[in-house]
């Protein structure tokens, strides 16, 4: 438990406050501190320090009491969080428990959270495709979203800035729908991936299945060595925390970098209640915080506030930031705060087997997957649904035969598992969804959490557009596997609720018009210029590419702008 400062004036007032310590919060801290601002990072969860707080990072499967599985009692008590991708006995400590952080599902929505310093940057999927011009332009062009106030060209240099620092592996493929970046060498394709990629190209000249673009260091540069990070060891145990710093997290990268400047203070165990707005000054002056352990209240003051609490928590905090000027939430004159919540569609996948290639294998446990860049609705609207989708792909060798004469029991079956078996492959959907006003979050008027903060109500659902995209994905992907010579092709539709994708976005969206948006082109609240929102809440549309690296780029861009305005005395 951090001790409260003796000198309140010195310790309770900062140049900037960052709410949240995950992917975007870490970048806000790095940029603000590096450019000279005394910065406080508020994190509602516990402290986590690189290496020291990765208790399972080097454990073998047999060292876990339940061999990595969760008990039936635990699953019964935590039906929501236990559905999260990659969740298990080895990384459960980086996720919340259901009963500790309740919310109200008006419609089914799986809100996946990790409350600790580093947030979900410790457990994210690490895919790092750049958005293309199509993701920024097509929603307004084809009539399913508002116009973005920025273009790909505005963000491109900030993508480069981020990629060089975090380390992104990949290959320069020259694909219009997925722009090239500042890449380290990619992980190799295995034999079956190479074969399927080649066959797709032969049969579909406009489709590109290419090397992974992932936040993993494959060839450390000096900037990574200076961070204390080294090469990814291809263990594929990333969600336990990586003692090598092989993949990017704010705990291994941006936060320690910010700390070295001498300008960073991190306060864990700090639930943000609201942002304080000064009616006379016409701006935010600070943040009301509740200590999670003692429930004592504190007010921290700053001239700049960055919202990086993750999309839904940022919405919650802003909705709860009420004043005489803003009775419905900070900056919410148009009533759109909390509305147009969107997500990405992960409901479909296709699996297949591949005969042959039995004399080929691969090195290590590749932590990345190939990417089939979006090929739908790019230059024109060509399908009966709006938007497009990214496809992720992998191929692997099974262990031994599927069963022996004795079935999946006995010594013969056990011995067979020591030998490589045949090949299997999979592809799964990451689809764009349409932001809609009816998809929203709001505060409960009756129920509060243990700190007296209203519970969040989620009211978010799929639509017919999502259903049509799923069917197209399943048809096209099965056809591609068939043309590549695969067998036993199986289509899957998992029916998962929104939210389980962990790519929730919107509610505080960017836009050109204050009547239809909350943020301007610099991620500032239109009506409160010293509050910036650069996590997923800022998104005007979802795109089909993975969003996390865009959050980082937008954060670095906004923070640099904020520092400039701060030094001019405008904030």
């Amino acid at each position: 438990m951090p001790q409260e400062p003796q000198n309140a004036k010195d310790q309770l007032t900062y140049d900037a406050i960052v709410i949240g310590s995950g992917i975007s919060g870490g970048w806000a801290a790095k940029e603000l501190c590096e450019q000279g601002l005394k910065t406080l990072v508020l994190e509602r969860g516990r402290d986590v320090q690189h290496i020291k707080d990765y208790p399972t990072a080097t454990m073998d499967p047999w060292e876990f009491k339940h061999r990595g599985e969760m008990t039936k009692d635990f699953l019964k008590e935590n039906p929501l969080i236990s559905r999260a991708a990659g969740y298990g006995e080895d990384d459960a400590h980086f996720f919340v428990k259901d009963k500790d952080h309740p919310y109200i599902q008006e419609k089914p929505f799986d809100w996946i959270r990790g409350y600790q310093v580093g947030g979900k940057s410790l457990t994210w999927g690490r895919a790092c495709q750049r958005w293309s011009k199509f993701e920024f332009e097509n929603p307004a062009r084809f009539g399913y979203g508002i116009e973005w106030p920025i273009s790909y060209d505005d963000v491109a240099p900030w993508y480069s800035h981020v990629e060089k620092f975090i380390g992104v592996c990949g290959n320069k493929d020259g694909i219009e729908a997925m722009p090239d970046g500042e890449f380290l060498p990619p992980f190799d394709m295995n034999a079956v991936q190479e074969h399927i990629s080649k066959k797709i190209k032969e049969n579909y000249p406009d489709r590109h299945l290419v090397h992974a673009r992932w936040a993993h260091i494959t060839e450390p540069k000096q900037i990574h060595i200076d961070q204390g990070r080294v090469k990814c060891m291809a263990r594929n145990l990333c969600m336990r925390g990586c003692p090598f710093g092989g993949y990017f997290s704010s705990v291994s990268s941006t936060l320690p970098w910010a700390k070295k400047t001498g300008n960073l203070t991190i306060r864990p165990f700090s639930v943000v209640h609201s942002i304080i707005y000064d009616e006379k000054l016409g701006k935010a002056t600070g943040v009301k915080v509740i200590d999670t352990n003692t429930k004592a209240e504190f007010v921290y003051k700053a001239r700049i506030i960055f919202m990086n609490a993750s999309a839904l928590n940022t919405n919650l905090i802003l909705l709860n930031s009420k004043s005489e000027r803003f009775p419905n939430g900070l900056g919410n004159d148009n009533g759109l705060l909390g509305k147009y919540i969107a997500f990405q569609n992960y409901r479909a996948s296709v699996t297949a087997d591949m005969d042959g290639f039995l004399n080929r294998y691969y090195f290590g446990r590749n932590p990345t997957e190939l990417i089939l860049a979006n090929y739908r609705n790019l230059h024109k609207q060509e399908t009966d649904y709006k938007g497009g989708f990214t496809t992720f792909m992998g191929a692997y060798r099974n262990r031994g035969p599927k069963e022996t004469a004795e079935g999946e029991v006995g010594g013969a079956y056990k011995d067979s598992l020591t030998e490589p078996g045949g090949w299997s492959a999979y592809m799964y959907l990451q689809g764009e969804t349409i932001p809609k006003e009816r998809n929203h979050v709001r505060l409960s008027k009756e129920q509060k959490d243990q700190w007296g903060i209203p519970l969040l109500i989620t009211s978010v659902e799929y639509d017919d557009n999502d259903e049509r995209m799923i069917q197209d994905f399943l048809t096209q992907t099965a056809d591609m596997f068939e043309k590549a010579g695969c067998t036993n092709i199986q289509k899957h539709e998992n029916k998962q609720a929104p939210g389980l994708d962990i790519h929730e976005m919107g509610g505080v969206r960017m836009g050109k018009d204050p009547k239809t948006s909350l943020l301007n082109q610099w991620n500032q609240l239109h009506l409160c210029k010293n509050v910036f929102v650069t996590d997923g809440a800022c998104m005007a549309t979802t795109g089909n590419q993975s969003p996390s690296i865009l959050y980082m780029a937008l954060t670095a861009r906004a923070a640099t702008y904020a520092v400039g305005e701060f030094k001019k005395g405008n904030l």
Side-chain angles (χ1 to χ4, degrees), residues 166-167 215-218 229-233 242-248:
I166 70 174
H216 284 261
I217 296 174
T218 54
R229 299 168 61 203
V230 297
K231 181 178 179 178
C232 170
M233 299 299 171
C242 180
F244 307 101
Y247 77 90
F248 167 80

Side-chain angles (χ1 to χ4, degrees), residues 16-46:
I17 293 173
V18 177
I19 301 172
S21 63
I23 280 175
S24 62
W27 264 94
K30 171 192 175 295
E31 295 298 313
L32 294 168
C33 289
E34 205 170 22
Q35 297 179 55
L37 271 59
K38 295 293 183 181
T39 302
L40 172 67
V41 172
L42 297 169
E43 168 55 52
R44 66 182 291 155
R46 65 188 174 92

Side-chain angles (χ1 to χ4, degrees), residues 406-421:
E406 300 170 332
E408 293 185 359
V409 295
Y413 176 70
K414 180 179 176 181
D415 291 342
S416 76
L417 296 180
T418 66
E419 299 295 331

Side-chain angles (χ1 to χ4, degrees), residues 213-232:
R213 299 177 179 186
W214 240 250
H216 284 261
I217 296 174
T218 54
E219 185 179 278
K221 302 298 183 184
Q222 189 61 48
I223 189 63
H224 309 126
I225 295 169
D226 291 344
Q227 294 173 51
R229 299 168 61 203
V230 297
K231 181 178 179 178
C232 170

Side-chain angles (χ1 to χ4, degrees), residues 107-153:
K107 299 171 184 175
F109 187 92
D110 293 339
W111 188 10
I112 306 302
R113 290 158 291 169
Y115 292 152
Q116 62 267 322
V117 170
K120 294 194 294 291
S121 77
L122 289 162
T123 58
W124 68 305
R126 307 171 308 283
C128 283
Q129 319 97 289
R130 291 188 180 198
W131 275 32
S132 71
K133 65 179 182 180
F134 300 113
E135 283 73 63
F136 287 102
E137 297 173 3
N138 284 1
R141 180 183 174 198
F142 297 137
Y144 62 94
I146 63 170
E147 184 179 3
W148 277 81
I150 55 176
S151 67
Y152 172 76
D153 290 339

